[in-house]
Amino acid sequence: MQRRTVSLWFPRLASDRALRQHPLGCAQTTAEPPFALTLRESNTERLYCLSGQAQHLGLMQGMTLSDARALRPDLITRPATPELDQQFLRALARWAGRYCPWVGVEGRDGLVLDVSGSTHLFGGESEMLADMRMRLTRAGIAARIGLADSRGAAWALAHFDEGVAAPGDPLPTLRPLPVAALRLDGPTCVALERLGLRTIGDLHDTPRAPLSRRFGNGVLMRLDQALGVQGEPLTPLPDPPRYGVRLTLPEPIGLSADVMAGLARLLDGLCDRLRAQDMGARVLQLTLRRVDQASQQVELRLARAMNDPAVILPLFERGVSAVEAGYGIDQLRLGAPRVEALPPAQIQSAIRQSEEEGVASLITKLGTRIGLENVQRFLPADSHIPERAHILAAAAFSEPAEKWPRPAALPPRPLRLFAPEPIGGRATGPGREPPPQFRWRGMRLERVHVEGPERLTPEWWLPSEAWQNGVRDYWRVETRQGRRLWMYHTPQNPGWFVQGEFA
């Protein structure tokens, strides 16, 4: 059987992905604006990937963003995310599996398919290529396609002259292509062109011995690979690992203790596989099949990735106890649909490790009752506004802050912070310093010492109803009654408020 290889090249993979995820939203009557993704290199923003319209207007990859904006002020840019581009490329590889079982990744923006023996399923080679192009165009993905006997010839056609090379003899099709189509590096291509060897045909007609002496075996190897004289392996993408174990019982069981005993055996096997690949489970699903073929599922969402069966097993007790066994359970299946990498970490003390596992177990137990998203922790935020100096994050999906940063020049902040409370009484002060006497929370207070003011202005890029009155002048006030308050005054709308209390 004649081997046939398809090369798919996506010249605008990154920009096509970004536009599919977040379209520009321009009206149909207006012209499409130029669009590009930018990536910072050596402290300079450069164009990383351009849309078709941006390329048509003369912008080029690698151009600095400042030069691009000087040429096209209407250029729309977004930051590039190469890791998302690679995920998208792997998704395209899974899609390409509809044409053949052997699909591999070619660089950072291409795929290679071994379609030997599968083209007849689509009516022939031309019909299969037309189907590929139609589906990719409908999805908004620009692609160039090459088909030949060898991987090198298919790559050359996809990148330099879309087409199909005749089976058995790709040289006539490859002859007019430049030597860069052989996947040679830039300096080698320049050196060959200086010798007058500009095309693959020129290179093929040149005696091999002088080429080998001057350029080594690399140039001739690439030529032979393109012509199919020397084989080139195609390594398909491996299937993602699946973590699941199953236990079929000779007799049905119905007691929670028996189910937990079977689950313990399954956890040992599953955790061994996870540890072998330095992975940890974040979600575990226990499926219990009854003798009447009905199934019940117990899902456990963990606060952090774990692969220790002794820690995980007790967390299943609440879910297992709620299972209706019916006439008995004859099969248990345990799977980990969501896993995370657990790279080797530095050895830590047993006390600290047990504390971290204990906190994670507590968060997991609470999360099974009220949901992991509802178990939250405070994390520091980069803001000088008191009420915005922290955020709430799910404890299961965040790490605790080792230290809450505070600039040394910033005055102390109160330990207790609450919503602003206006002070009562007729003595409101002149507005420059806190009033000498005032009422707060039903108490009559008299100041003895003040420090301030500290003026805070609202963040204009984050609108907030609480800061409609503009700037605030904060004071630290000590009272004769022992209260140490954090008060502020609003000059625009004169009034005094208490927002915090020092310890």
Side-chain angles (χ1 to χ4, degrees):
M1 181 176 61
Q2 182 70 36
R3 179 182 176 184
R4 299 294 278 172
T5 303
V6 171
S7 178
L8 281 172
W9 177 42
F10 308 104
R12 300 193 294 271
L13 176 72
S15 61
D16 289 343
R17 177 203 60 79
L19 291 176
R20 275 175 53 86
Q21 187 175 5
H22 299 291
L24 297 180
C26 300
Q28 297 294 331
T29 56
T30 61
E32 178 186 355
F35 172 79
L37 297 176
T38 62
L39 190 66
R40 179 171 290 273
E41 296 180 0
S42 301
N43 254 355
T44 303
E45 289 285 342
R46 297 185 179 275
L47 301 188
Y48 174 74
C49 186
L50 295 83
S51 65
Q53 180 67 9
Q55 292 178 342
H56 178 72
L57 294 175
L59 302 181
M60 296 180 295
Q61 183 179 357
M63 178 184 294
T64 63
L65 181 58
S66 58
D67 292 342
R69 290 224 182 263
L71 292 176
R72 299 298 306 185
D74 58 340
L75 176 65
I76 299 176
T77 61
R78 295 176 189 165
T81 51
E83 59 276 5
L84 294 183
D85 300 335
Q86 293 307 303
Q87 294 179 12
F88 185 58
L89 182 61
R90 290 181 175 271
L92 289 174
R94 292 193 296 270
W95 165 82
R98 71 187 308 272
Y99 298 102
C100 65
W102 290 75
V103 181
V105 173
E106 188 83 69
R108 69 178 188 181
D109 54 5
L111 299 176
V112 56
L113 293 72
D114 188 349
V115 296
S116 305
S118 63
T119 56
H120 69 281
L121 300 175
F122 300 88
E125 293 180 352
S126 58
E127 289 79 4
M128 183 187 67
L129 297 183
D131 185 75
M132 287 183 184
R133 193 178 304 279
M134 180 269 296
R135 293 178 182 274
L136 291 170
T137 302
R138 187 172 59 187
I141 303 172
R144 295 173 59 91
I145 308 175
L147 174 62
D149 293 345
S150 64
R151 180 176 179 178
W155 188 93
L157 292 174
H159 285 72
F160 291 89
D161 185 17
E162 280 191 284
V164 178
D169 187 15
L171 182 59
T173 307
L174 299 180
R175 180 176 285 276
L177 300 184
V179 291
L182 296 177
R183 296 173 290 175
L184 301 175
D185 57 79
T188 302
C189 293
V190 172
L192 289 172
E193 291 176 357
R194 286 176 178 174
L195 295 177
L197 305 177
R198 292 180 173 82
T199 65
I200 295 179
D202 296 337
L203 189 64
H204 178 266
D205 297 337
T206 301
R208 298 172 66 92
L211 289 175
S212 179
R213 286 195 301 268
R214 180 156 186 169
F215 297 99
N217 296 326
V219 173
L220 297 178
M221 180 192 69
R222 287 301 191 186
L223 178 63
D224 292 341
Q225 287 177 346
L227 299 179
V229 178
Q230 183 172 341
E232 187 175 2
L234 189 158
T235 304
L237 287 175
D239 294 331
R242 298 182 180 180
Y243 301 96
V245 288
R246 182 174 58 187
L247 177 63
T248 302
L249 305 171
E251 294 291 338
I253 59 176
L255 298 178
S256 297
D258 296 336
V259 175
M260 293 297 293
L263 177 60
R265 293 181 57 183
L266 294 177
L267 271 174
D268 289 338
L270 180 65
C271 290
D272 287 342
R273 295 180 57 186
L274 290 170
R275 283 194 294 266
Q277 299 186 12
D278 293 329
M279 304 295 289
R282 284 300 299 264
V283 178
L284 292 169
Q285 290 181 348
L286 174 64
T287 304
L288 306 173
R289 191 188 70 182
R290 303 190 311 198
V291 294
D292 59 356
Q293 301 304 310
S295 298
Q296 296 190 50
Q297 194 173 79
V298 178
E299 184 178 87
L300 179 65
R301 301 172 64 192
L302 301 173
R304 67 179 181 91
M306 299 182 184
N307 55 19
D308 188 354
V311 177
I312 299 175
L313 182 62
L315 304 177
F316 269 103
E317 291 181 352
R318 183 173 181 271
V320 170
S321 63
V323 170
E324 293 290 339
Y327 293 102
I329 297 170
D330 61 358
Q331 188 182 90
L332 289 78
R333 188 185 185 281
L334 180 65
R338 181 182 173 188
V339 296
E340 292 182 2
L342 279 179
Q346 187 174 3
I347 298 176
Q348 53 185 328
S349 65
I351 297 178
R352 181 179 177 184
Q353 186 174 6
S354 62
E355 289 178 353
E356 292 180 355
E357 292 178 351
V359 172
S361 300
L362 176 61
I363 295 174
T364 302
K365 290 178 181 179
L366 295 174
T368 56
R369 295 176 178 268
I370 64 175
L372 283 178
E373 295 81 4
N374 296 321
V375 183
Q376 300 177 332
R377 63 161 53 101
F378 288 102
L379 294 177
D382 186 13
S383 176
H384 63 277
I385 302 299
E387 53 265 38
R388 292 177 180 166
H390 64 274
I391 59 173
L392 278 174
F397 309 108
S398 61
E399 295 293 332
E402 294 287 342
K403 183 179 180 181
W404 283 65
R406 185 178 69 85
L410 202 64
R413 292 288 186 256
L415 183 62
R416 295 178 56 203
L417 194 68
F418 39 80
E421 301 175 359
I423 61 175
R426 299 182 62 180
T428 58
R432 297 182 180 178
E433 289 188 359
Q437 295 181 353
F438 57 91
R439 298 185 64 87
W440 174 65
R441 291 186 178 179
M443 297 178 291
R444 184 177 180 86
L445 303 176
E446 181 180 354
R447 78 174 197 200
V448 294
H449 179 71
V450 295
E451 294 182 16
E454 175 193 358
R455 173 160 290 189
L456 296 181
T457 59
E459 297 167 335
W460 57 266
W461 59 93
L462 294 175
S464 175
E465 296 181 0
W467 284 75
Q468 289 182 351
N469 294 331
V471 300
R472 296 177 180 177
D473 292 332
Y474 281 87
W475 298 78
R476 296 183 299 280
V477 179
E478 295 186 13
T479 64
R480 191 177 301 278
Q481 290 75 17
R483 298 282 185 170
R484 301 177 65 242
L485 306 178
W486 202 43
M487 304 173 59
Y488 72 84
H489 177 261
T490 55
Q492 292 81 359
N493 186 15
W496 284 94
F497 298 84
V498 180
Q499 193 177 359
E501 187 173 7
F502 295 90

